[in-house]
Amino acid sequence: MFHKTDILTVQENLRRRGYRMTPQRETILQVFQTLPEGTHLSAEELHEQLKVLACGISLATTYRTVKLLASIGLLRELDFAEGHKHYELAADESPPHHHLICVDCNQAIEFEQAPLYELGQDVADSHRFKLIDVQYKVFGVCPTCQDAGDKR
């Protein structure tokens, strides 16, 4: 769950952008904080978890909230080429990571590769861009799906 200082930081971050910390935003951030590392949720998957909590947050509010939280850097929006976005908590203290994505089963595996992040920073700097995120995605077929394909 959020520590008091975390909530104050998030509230200030929202306030600077003209928003406030609503109970819905706090609940959604708390769900992301409790997820195992490496878990990515679509808005629909998040909404299913919110329904279990019986907090009354609609799917439309879920969509709006994850978009807002991603736009201010509290969530990281990921596109795994499935026709919808996934989200994960953006953690400043964790090392930058990227994703291997199986095009058969949609499994996403995280991997760290600092030079990719540094390359993104260099490119952004050379064009006078303020870097927000670097996402490197490798699409392929995982070993399990390769084995299943060999058996067909």
Side-chain angles (χ1 to χ4, degrees):
M1 298 301 155
F2 279 113
H3 302 305
K4 186 173 179 131
T5 55
D6 295 335
I7 289 175
L8 294 175
T9 302
V10 171
Q11 286 175 334
E12 181 56 33
N13 198 344
L14 287 165
R15 200 172 301 120
R16 269 187 277 125
R17 290 169 172 79
Y19 299 99
R20 62 185 178 85
M21 176 63 90
T22 64
Q24 296 88 345
R25 292 171 185 157
E26 186 171 351
T27 299
I28 287 172
L29 285 169
Q30 286 175 344
V31 167
F32 278 101
Q33 277 201 318
T34 62
L35 293 174
E37 190 172 327
T39 303
H40 314 100
L41 294 179
S42 66
E44 295 85 359
E45 292 165 334
L46 172 60
H47 186 250
E48 288 302 313
Q49 291 199 16
L50 294 169
K51 286 196 312 195
V52 170
L53 296 174
C55 56
I57 299 175
S58 71
L59 182 58
T61 297
T62 302
Y63 270 107
R64 282 192 306 271
T65 302
V66 294
K67 283 290 193 188
L68 170 67
L69 296 175
S71 75
I72 63 173
L74 295 173
L75 294 180
R76 189 174 185 213
E77 186 177 75
L78 307 164
D79 185 350
F80 294 152
E82 296 176 308
H84 61 268
K85 307 284 190 209
H86 288 82
Y87 299 88
E88 65 183 2
L89 199 58
D92 291 335
E93 65 277 356
S94 67
H97 68 271
H98 309 283
H99 299 90
L100 289 164
I101 302 154
C102 179
V103 297
D104 285 350
C105 70
N106 296 322
Q107 175 187 22
I109 299 170
E110 293 182 356
F111 67 96
E112 294 176 19
Q113 196 62 253
L116 293 173
Y117 188 84
E118 293 163 8
L119 176 62
Q121 182 68 63
D122 290 346
V123 171
D125 289 347
S126 71
H127 293 280
R128 297 183 354 190
F129 269 61
K130 178 183 179 220
L131 182 69
I132 295 171
D133 193 11
V134 173
Q135 295 184 29
Y136 185 74
K137 297 174 275 192
V138 178
F139 294 92
V141 179
C142 72
T144 302
C145 291
Q146 289 176 52
D147 291 346
D150 291 344
K151 294 176 185 169
R152 287 186 228 158

